[in-house]
Amino acid sequence: MNEITLVENQLKRMRSMNKFYHKQFLIDVRFFFILGTFSLILSFNVVEINYILPLISLFGSVILAFHAYYLIFSRNYSEYLEKEINNLLNKDVFITHKLENKYFFPIQDKKIVVAKLGNDFSWFSFVTLFITFYGISLHAYGMYNIFTTLNGIYYFLFIIFLTLVTFIIGYWWFINNEGESRLSRIYDK
């Protein structure tokens, strides 16, 4: 088997991984939207439901970020493989990575998980932020009611701690670019 065939097989594998995690992401977005909205509506009559709203939001954000984590990985690796094939052939045969960088978001730039702000802001970025703010709103509504109506101060503090840990690790990995930095250290060799 020649080098181009080997690289193309890896590219097919990465594109397949990308498709799978996009599909799973969309399934989970719908699931957490329905679960969150249903729980929110129930909370109007059963105030104790507010205890689970922040957990639904946090768990949903971690799961969706987990899918984004694989999408970012597969996009990075796919771009690397496409460039490798183009270099081997001495021409731009594969341009999907260029299209994705312009249409969705530039994979190598700093972003909020997969939302790029500034000149490269896109519909993809808007949808990502929209979903994020829905989760934040659900979380905040539940926390407000836990603190004011249910007087669950210890539970409230526990959720704040869990939220801070989740935010700090998410910031470190995604916004601080730790994940992509690890990949570029390998690609640059």
Side-chain angles (χ1 to χ4, degrees), residues 104-121:
F104 297 119
F105 58 92
I107 194 69
Q108 301 302 326
D109 291 359
K110 280 197 168 195
K111 54 204 160 295
I112 302 170
V113 186
V114 293
K116 179 73 172 130
L117 302 178
N119 290 336
D120 291 315
F121 187 79

Side-chain angles (χ1 to χ4, degrees), residues 28-37 56 59-60 63-64 134:
D28 287 352
V29 163
R30 291 178 191 116
F31 173 76
F32 283 107
F33 176 76
I34 291 167
L35 179 63
T37 303
I56 291 170
F59 190 77
I63 291 297
L64 295 177
Y134 170 81

Side-chain angles (χ1 to χ4, degrees), residues 5 39-40 57 64 66 68 77 90 105 124 145 162 167 185:
T5 305
S39 299
L40 178 66
S57 175
L64 295 177
F66 182 73
Y77 193 37
N90 247 354
F105 58 92
F124 197 89
N145 282 304
L162 192 58
F167 179 78
R185 286 193 295 265

